[in-house]
């Protein structure tokens, strides 16, 4: 297991990885929920899509997600954190951090290359 399931990597480390990924690829898609990482990638982007699927569908996706071996030692270990993940998802509309709906809407609304 590379990273504890509840620990987020340092922002600078993530920024370096994003830049390395962008520089290594002529076209790319980055998907994620951390607005501070999306914000970093925006200056290199040509399009931004806000996929607001809502809490209910996001929760259903979490329940059926495949094993993430980069985060968990086993599928069973991953499933032990499902209740915590579902609670975290349920809080997204009311959060005030880099994973909140308000920050995602702000990034999208301010994106300079919207069609």
């Amino acid at each position: 297991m590379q990273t504890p399931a509840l620990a987020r990597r340092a922002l600078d480390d993530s920024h370096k990885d994003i830049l390395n990924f962008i520089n290594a690829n002529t076209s790319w898609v980055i998907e994620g929920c951390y607005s501070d990482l999306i914000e970093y990638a925006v200056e290199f982007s040509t399009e931004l899509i806000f996929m607001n699927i809502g809490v209910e569908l996001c929760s259903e996706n979490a329940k059926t997600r495949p094993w993430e071996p980069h985060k968990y030692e086993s599928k069973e270990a991953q499933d032990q954190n499902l209740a915590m993940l579902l609670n975290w998802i349920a809080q997204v509309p009311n959060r005030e951090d880099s994973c909140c709906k308000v920050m995602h809407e702000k990034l999208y609304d301010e994106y300079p290359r919207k069609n």
Side-chain angles (χ1 to χ4, degrees), residues 30-97:
I30 298 175
E31 178 274 332
C33 62
Y34 293 105
S35 61
D36 50 4
L37 298 180
I38 297 166
E39 185 175 39
Y40 180 76
V42 158
E43 74 174 273
F44 305 99
S45 69
T46 58
E47 184 175 14
L48 181 67
I49 299 171
F50 179 25
M51 295 180 62
N52 183 15
I53 65 172
V55 170
E56 186 175 323
L57 183 55
C58 189
S59 295
E60 289 305 312
N61 288 342
K63 291 174 187 176
T64 60
R65 74 194 193 284
W67 174 40
E68 300 171 283
H70 62 287
K71 292 183 183 179
Y72 298 94
E73 294 174 0
S74 66
K75 175 72 167 122
E76 294 75 25
Q78 176 174 299
D79 290 344
Q80 288 176 352
N81 281 329
L82 182 57
M84 179 274 308
L85 178 59
L86 294 174
N87 183 54
W88 185 89
I89 292 168
Q91 295 172 10
V92 167
N94 303 313
R95 296 174 78 94
E96 295 182 3
D97 60 10

Side-chain angles (χ1 to χ4, degrees), residues 21-22 25-32 41 45 47 49 51:
F21 174 81
I22 290 169
N25 296 279
T26 56
S27 61
W28 45 268
V29 173
I30 298 175
E31 178 274 332
S45 69
E47 184 175 14
I49 299 171
M51 295 180 62

